[in-house]
Each structure stands twice: as C-alpha cells, then as structure tokens.
Amino acid sequence: MDEIIKNLPKKAKDKHPENRKFFIKLRKKPPKNLDYLMRELHETEFERTDCLECANCCKTTGPLFTNADIERISKHFRLKPQQFIDQYLRIDEDNDYVLQQVPCAFLGADNYCSVYEVRPKACREFPHTNRKKFHQISNLTLKNIAICPAAFNIVEKMKKKLPLSS
C-alpha cells in the first residue's frame, strides 16, 4: 500500500489532462444512469479496498467541520464547542473550520480514527464517489484521486464504462 500511495500523486498528475477533459464532457451531458453507475463502482471498489491499510486522506488532508460536526464531536469529548474549536480547529481562507494541522489529531498509529462514530460529515462521505449528482463535484474528484487510491480506481473504471464521445 505504501508504494501505491507514494506513486498516486504522479499517476493522478499524469492522468489529469485526460480526466479534466472527461469531466468537462460529463458535466455537459451526464448520462441518466450516472448516479446508479457511480454507486455501483463505489461499492465494488470498497469491497476490495480497506481504508485502514491506507488512511492517506487522514494523513494528508483535513475535512471541513460543520457546526453540527463541532457540536457532535465536542459533546463526545465532553467539551464546550468553543473549547473543541480552540483545541483542534482553525478558520481557513474560505472561512471554514478545518483542522489546525495534518495528519488528523484523531488518527491513531494503527490508522484507526478515535472519533469514528462521531466523525465529521466530510469524513463519512469521503471520497464522495457515490454522491448524488456526481457530475457536479468533478473538481473535488480531480483532487481526491491524488489522495485516495480507491477514488483513482473508481474514476479509471468509470472512464471505461462511460466512453464519452468527442
């Protein structure tokens, strides 16, 4: 897995022009069955992918924290929301709450998440490859394929299943 993660940014960069063109076409004319296909590709990939072997998302990027996430996680820690914010979060350039630093403070050496049951919505939904109206998040997907081997594989399979004409 370490070798796959190490090579992923380069593989994603090499595929970026091809993927960008594909997603531009996809946004212009998304197939009617796109959400169904994405859910199927997502489920198939995650039957064979164990996130605990990787955890690259937790090691390299941080999620956005919604107010609901902050309330839920601070309650889990028996902290007031502001105490949780002060201890773990900062406001980024888009005025969103994000982690003060990566890797994630809640990630253990064994790749287990200490707040898994109450983790942020962004973590629960990552890599967002089974989202409804998938064609609307192509920019996010282009970023995620450089982080998540499963997302990379899903996009590669998607391009084979949906050969969009020029």
Side-chain angles (χ1 to χ4, degrees), residues 138-149:
S138 57
N139 288 339
L140 179 62
T141 303
L142 284 170
K143 289 178 186 166
N144 289 344
I145 62 173
I147 298 164
C148 176

Side-chain angles (χ1 to χ4, degrees), residues 22-74:
F22 177 82
F23 281 119
I24 288 169
K25 290 177 187 175
L26 188 68
R27 271 195 309 263
K28 283 182 183 167
K29 197 170 189 317
K32 285 181 178 41
N33 68 336
L34 181 63
D35 290 344
Y36 172 79
L37 172 67
M38 292 312 299
R39 189 170 55 249
E40 190 178 275
L41 290 171
H42 177 92
E43 287 171 7
T44 300
E45 180 64 29
F46 281 99
E47 282 171 11
R48 62 185 202 91
T49 298
D50 181 0
C51 293
L52 290 172
E53 287 180 18
C54 179
N56 197 43
C57 51
C58 307
K59 294 171 184 172
T60 61
T61 60
L64 298 180
F65 284 74
T66 65
N67 288 333
D69 294 331
I70 293 167
E71 291 284 333
R72 188 176 59 256
I73 300 168
S74 60

